[in-house]
Amino acid sequence: MPHRTESESRKLLRRLQATLADAGAGQERLDKITHLIADSMGTEVCSIYLFRDADTLELCATEGLNKAAVHVTRMRVGEGLVGRVARSGRPINTADAPGTRGFRFMPETGEEVFSSFLGVPVQRLGEVKGVLVVQSKQAREYSEDELYALEVVAMVLAEMAELGAFIGEGEALRAPHKNQVMLRGGVAQEGVAAGQVWLHEPRVVIARPVADDPEAERKRLHAAVDRLRLSVDEMLRMTPAHDGEQMEVLEAYRMFANSKGWMRRMEEDIDRGLSAEAAVEKEQSAARARMSQVGDAYLRERLHDLDDLSNRLLRLLTGQGTETGATLPENPILIARNIGPAELLDYGRKLKGIVLEEGSVGSHATVVARALAIPLVINARRITTEALNGDTILVDGEQGVVHLRPDDTVQAAFRDKMAMQAKAQERYASLRDLPAEALCGTVVRLDMNAGLMADLPSLKGSGASGVGLFRTELQFLVRSKVPRRGELAALYARVMDAAEGRRVAFRTLDIGSDKVLPYMKPTEEPNPALGWRAIRVGLDKPGVMRMQLQALIRAANGRPLTVMFPFIAQLEEFTQARDHLMRELDREAALGRVLPETVEVGAMLETPSLAFAPRHFFELADFISIGGNDLKQFFFAADRENERVRRRYDTLNISFLSFIEQIVGRCAETDTPLSFCGEDAGRPIEALALTAMGLRALSMRPASIGPVKHLLRRSDLREVRAVITEAREMGAMTVRPALMEWLKRQG
Ligand code: PEP
Ligand code: MG
């Protein structure tokens, strides 16, 4: 086979473009393309395999193999050489295909006679859409140049496939972005929503992947990169010097924007016939492919930076971008790879649902979505590549399922589900002003958890008695720098105003472990959950805690104030924290400020040790709130962030419930008010068990108050208690089955 020069590969691209421009059905185009590539490259075989579903490839066109195999030959990802290329996203180039690991013989194609094999992925931005293969009888490895030419052609094919250039008969030739897709992800905020897709970062479409005039394309690229550099410099200039993380990202941008290697590779792609934007995207694809293979978190972040930078460059080159003129649809469902808390707060309550390709249950975006009660599904793989602005989308935040472009049957079923939910909501709303009084006459106080201003409108609507846990760290987490005392005081005052005299238990800053402030230097700890966090930070470096306490005293401005300290493990930590508060009260008094009318000082019981503290602790604490999320993780030694071990231990485990009962007993000895504010308080069956063990106050997400109250009002706690006692006597591990059985009997 003759050596291909660069201009020849450009010639190939130009011929390809002419073929693509020809009218004709998708199949005809594909046939012409395989013919053209085989002819130009002087190989006997050229075949195109495309994905027909998430894991099966289908032979869609061929020159040289048996035509009867088209749309018949299929293989799974990873199967055969073609399947291996699809899985790895990397080419395979071999002189001896039958002797290569993974080779699969496909008699229907008659391919045993071909010795050489070169397969490259047809991919767009790291998403593999198929595989392009050339084969020849002569045993030889294809040259670097040939490999390169084929990769470039494959990339153009991917772009054309994206634009729907190959729509035709057969599963694999369906119109892209037209079919119904169901994606599974993880639940980060419950709820169901129906609406239209709103892409946080609209996809840039490359309508012109091939260009005739490399000189002109180089000029375009240089002009765009110059503009990009200027904008990065400008961003750097605007960033405050202490904003370390933002600076780091921008420095990485600058490094890439000035990188000679990056520029050189893109110029080479242009010389080989790509347009400037296609060259940028080719580099971006390569970076994405590397991203999925890099284990090192720091390096992965930098590749993310390069990806963002490439996006900016693409927008500059194509004139497309966030400012596309599109307006937010009526019921927007936000789709993004990931999103920061501040950006999410900017959208506010306008969003009906959120679907993220990445994200995590403990992320700050999740915190905000929860505060806004917007259903959120995370880890929905491929959502940003599958969804188009305006597509119909259904988000099932109960199951972690997303339906994109659903058909009528799915829509009807979903509507039923939403109607059922709405009915349940109505039922809960009708209970709003009624007490959470069980059939036996026991009244339970139901409070809500909050942490952002966005939470507070729920206070009235949910029927909560007050705020049992105000997580003050959320205000710190959604900002890029430490808030000032004045800002905090104003904010806490607004919270108290919104509460209209209802009790709000402000928990002092609980950072560390999963809650890392963006502007705090991360400390490398082998075991962050057991590390320097919450009150430990507050006592060792009291500056921020004192500032917070001052802000709270000023915000109260004569009103009652409730403060609780997180993660108290022993009496001394509580006395020290309490002393800080007392000193701040004295100081504020000396400054002539109005002191709170009353001050309640409580502790969160989140470590088993505190349940065994001396009696004096229980006397000194004005109240105690069980942080069940942490308490459970330490009781069972099971990381609350680790899905694998977390689910192993049931809250309704007899040992855990017995432990709760002990805590209730210790508080009763000293008449210390006790509440429970972990997530389990908001799960109706768990709430029932907790109250049966003696708890009389629960604090939960606002949306849980209705369901919990509904169940409590229909239950006799003495009976629940009897069910638990019996299960314990029988030696059961958990009371869940017995309780479920009892509930069933109650109807
Ligand atoms: C808890 O641990 O149960 C708790 C309420 O605190 P957080 O979830 O904020 O750690
Ligand atoms: Mg906690």
Side-chain angles (χ1 to χ4, degrees):
M1 199 158 101
H3 178 74
R4 304 281 111 185
T5 64
E6 281 175 10
S7 65
E8 270 175 300
S9 60
R10 207 161 65 228
K11 232 185 287 165
L12 169 60
L13 277 181
R14 212 169 312 142
R15 283 180 70 189
L16 183 69
Q17 198 181 23
T19 308
L20 288 168
D22 266 3
Q27 186 65 52
E28 192 186 325
R29 276 189 180 160
L30 280 178
D31 290 343
K32 277 191 185 156
I33 291 169
T34 49
H35 173 77
L36 178 142
I37 296 174
D39 182 52
S40 303
M41 289 183 68
T43 66
E44 285 105 336
V45 176
C46 174
S47 313
I48 295 172
Y49 299 80
L50 294 174
F51 273 103
R52 67 188 294 269
D53 55 44
D55 26 49
T56 320
L57 289 149
E58 179 176 301
L59 175 66
C60 287
T62 185
E63 175 78 15
L65 294 184
N66 188 351
K67 293 269 188 210
V70 171
H71 298 307
V72 174
T73 290
R74 289 184 185 147
M75 64 216 44
R76 297 183 71 78
V77 177
E79 188 187 358
L81 297 184
V82 173
R84 271 181 61 204
V85 172
R87 166 171 288 168
S88 66
R90 282 200 293 254
I92 291 181
N93 184 3
T94 172
D96 175 20
T100 302
R101 187 169 65 87
F103 177 80
R104 199 198 84 176
F105 176 55
M106 288 176 293
E108 71 273 20
T109 64
E111 77 171 339
E112 79 274 29
V113 287
F114 301 103
S115 180
S116 311
F117 175 101
L118 170 60
V120 298
V122 174
Q123 63 184 331
R124 183 174 190 277
L125 295 179
E127 187 207 359
V128 179
K129 290 172 175 285
V131 179
L132 173 62
V133 175
V134 289
Q135 291 170 281
S136 58
K137 285 196 179 118
Q138 188 199 349
R140 60 184 284 279
E141 265 202 21
Y142 291 88
S143 71
E144 275 288 306
D145 233 24
E146 287 165 326
L147 168 64
Y148 196 93
L150 204 65
E151 276 188 322
V152 168
V153 170
M155 186 201 153
V156 174
L157 287 181
E159 287 304 325
M160 303 320 285
E162 175 79 9
L163 291 174
F166 308 125
I167 298 166
E169 298 204 349
E171 286 287 307
L173 302 187
R174 271 183 319 231
H177 305 303
K178 288 278 188 295
N179 53 325
Q180 146 166 309
V181 179
M182 187 190 95
L183 300 170
R184 270 183 199 287
V187 175
Q189 164 66 24
E190 287 89 354
V192 288
Q196 302 83 36
V197 166
W198 177 255
L199 290 167
H200 182 53
E201 293 242 296
R203 205 196 329 277
V204 174
V205 182
I206 297 190
R208 199 181 59 105
V210 181
D212 289 336
D213 183 354
E215 244 346 280
E217 292 306 304
R218 270 172 177 258
K219 274 204 190 113
R220 286 183 63 226
L221 179 68
H222 280 268
V225 171
D226 284 345
R227 276 177 63 198
L228 183 72
R229 283 184 191 140
L230 282 178
S231 73
V232 172
D233 287 346
E234 178 64 14
M235 281 190 279
L236 263 169
R237 213 175 49 77
M238 303 292 286
T239 306
H242 61 262
D243 193 345
E245 201 183 11
Q246 177 71 359
M247 289 289 261
E248 195 180 335
V249 169
L250 289 173
E251 285 296 350
Y253 277 9
R254 177 144 76 178
M255 188 188 79
F256 287 124
N258 289 305
S259 153
K260 293 219 168 57
W262 188 50
M263 202 61 192
R264 195 194 61 240
R265 287 192 300 274
M266 290 192 290
E267 285 176 345
E268 281 171 4
D269 290 328
I270 287 176
D271 289 343
R272 282 165 158 117
L274 290 188
S275 65
E277 48 270 45
V280 174
E281 203 185 87
K282 186 162 178 291
E283 264 302 294
Q284 197 179 7
S285 277
R288 286 220 180 153
R290 263 176 278 154
M291 203 139 63
S292 60
Q293 258 134 44
V294 167
D296 179 76
Y298 178 81
L299 214 61
R300 221 175 23 238
E301 274 307 306
R302 295 291 77 83
L303 284 168
H304 257 307
D305 295 342
L306 178 59
D307 195 60
D308 287 341
L309 195 75
S310 306
N311 270 333
R312 282 168 194 270
L313 194 53
L314 277 180
R315 281 189 232 126
L316 284 173
L317 279 163
T318 58
Q320 302 168 26
T322 330
E323 304 80 25
T324 46
T327 48
L328 213 58
E330 196 181 340
N331 295 306
I333 308 274
L334 182 82
I335 308 290
R337 200 173 69 200
N338 216 339
I339 189 164
E343 285 170 303
L344 200 49
L345 274 174
D346 280 346
Y347 281 107
R349 290 183 190 275
K350 276 180 269 179
L351 301 176
K352 292 283 180 273
I354 309 167
V355 184
L356 299 180
E357 193 149 320
E358 299 172 1
S360 75
V361 182
S363 80
H364 306 157
T366 300
V367 165
V368 173
R370 282 190 176 159
L372 297 168
I374 301 173
L376 165 62
V377 171
I378 53 170
N379 294 326
R381 272 188 53 220
R382 302 198 342 265
I383 185 72
T384 59
T385 37
E386 290 283 1
L388 285 188
N389 262 348
D391 279 348
T392 301
I393 182 168
L394 310 174
V395 181
D396 183 344
E398 308 290 327
Q399 310 287 333
V401 171
V402 178
H403 302 274
L404 195 58
R405 299 178 287 267
D407 63 20
D408 292 347
T409 343
V410 174
Q411 291 206 43
F414 202 81
R415 264 199 302 275
D416 289 348
K417 191 167 184 159
M418 285 182 67
M420 255 167 65
Q421 285 237 338
K423 238 200 209 122
Q425 287 306 329
E426 260 171 42
R427 204 166 47 223
Y428 302 145
S430 71
L431 298 179
R432 199 188 58 196
D433 300 320
L434 299 175
E437 182 177 351
L439 291 178
C440 50
T442 307
V443 178
V444 181
R445 179 187 167 101
L446 302 184
D447 284 309
M448 65 173 244
N449 294 345
L452 295 169
M453 278 314 287
D455 289 312
L456 292 163
S458 311
L459 191 49
K460 278 193 201 143
S462 66
S465 304
V467 178
L469 164 66
F470 191 90
R471 292 180 162 106
T472 60
E473 63 277 5
L474 300 194
Q475 291 299 335
F476 288 71
L477 283 167
V478 296
R479 281 158 207 251
S480 55
K481 50 181 193 270
V482 188
R484 283 206 290 268
R485 184 178 52 199
E487 267 178 278
L488 283 183
L491 187 120
Y492 298 152
R494 287 216 319 272
V495 172
M496 291 182 209
D497 293 346
E500 294 176 345
R502 294 180 189 85
R503 176 178 179 270
V504 180
F506 287 94
R507 172 175 79 181
T508 61
L509 203 57
D510 180 5
I511 47 160
S513 187
D514 59 318
K515 297 166 192 148
V516 183
L517 298 186
Y519 37 84
M520 226 176 87
K521 211 163 93 211
T523 41
E524 282 294 325
E525 290 189 297
N527 232 326
L530 306 178
W532 197 54
R533 52 176 291 203
I535 198 65
R536 301 171 181 176
V537 181
L539 292 176
D540 291 354
K541 292 218 182 290
V544 175
M545 187 172 78
R546 281 183 44 207
M547 183 264 277
Q548 216 188 355
L549 293 172
Q550 289 158 8
L552 282 168
I553 297 167
R554 291 180 192 185
N557 193 23
R559 291 178 281 193
L561 175 65
T562 305
V563 177
M564 70 180 173
F565 294 106
F567 213 66
I568 300 287
Q570 54 187 18
L571 166 66
E572 290 69 18
E573 283 166 349
F574 184 63
T575 53
Q576 284 166 22
R578 194 174 174 280
D579 287 348
H580 273 295
L581 176 58
M582 296 306 150
R583 268 199 300 275
E584 292 315 322
L585 284 164
D586 288 346
R587 275 200 195 112
E588 293 293 302
L591 289 173
R593 291 189 193 274
V594 188
L595 292 188
E597 183 188 349
T598 52
V599 180
E600 263 191 298
V601 195
M604 284 190 73
L605 195 155
E606 305 190 86
T607 59
S609 63
L610 198 63
F612 302 93
R615 184 184 169 94
H616 182 51
F617 163 71
F618 292 89
E619 288 165 348
L620 191 64
D622 292 325
F623 67 95
I624 291 169
S625 188
I626 297 177
N629 306 333
D630 275 311
L631 185 64
K632 203 164 87 180
Q633 89 166 333
F634 298 121
F635 186 74
F636 291 111
D639 187 347
R640 65 192 259 192
E641 293 291 307
N642 182 339
E643 290 295 311
R644 200 159 174 183
V645 298
R646 186 173 77 89
R647 292 178 188 279
R648 226 182 151 94
Y649 304 97
D650 192 358
T651 309
L652 300 186
N653 176 293
I654 295 279
S655 314
F656 188 65
L657 289 181
S658 303
F659 184 47
I660 296 288
E661 190 180 27
Q662 270 188 41
I663 300 170
V664 170
R666 289 220 63 189
C667 288
E669 284 170 21
T670 48
D671 265 342
T672 313
L674 176 67
S675 63
F676 186 107
C677 65
E679 295 301 311
D680 287 322
R683 301 193 173 102
I685 299 173
E686 280 77 345
L688 202 57
L690 290 169
T691 45
M693 298 324 276
L695 273 155
R696 293 294 172 263
L698 302 173
S699 191
M700 61 197 76
R701 291 183 209 174
S704 299
I705 290 183
V708 168
K709 194 189 276 186
H710 177 70
L711 185 58
L712 278 174
R713 288 178 57 88
R714 297 170 52 152
S715 307
D716 184 325
L717 293 178
R718 290 168 304 194
E719 286 179 34
V720 180
R721 179 61 202 228
V723 172
I724 296 175
T725 307
E726 192 188 325
R728 175 152 58 190
E729 279 162 8
M730 306 262 292
M733 182 176 71
T734 155
V735 301
R736 194 173 297 276
L739 259 185
M740 294 304 281
E741 188 52 41
W742 178 81
L743 281 168
K744 225 182 270 160
R745 281 204 306 273
Q746 307 298 303

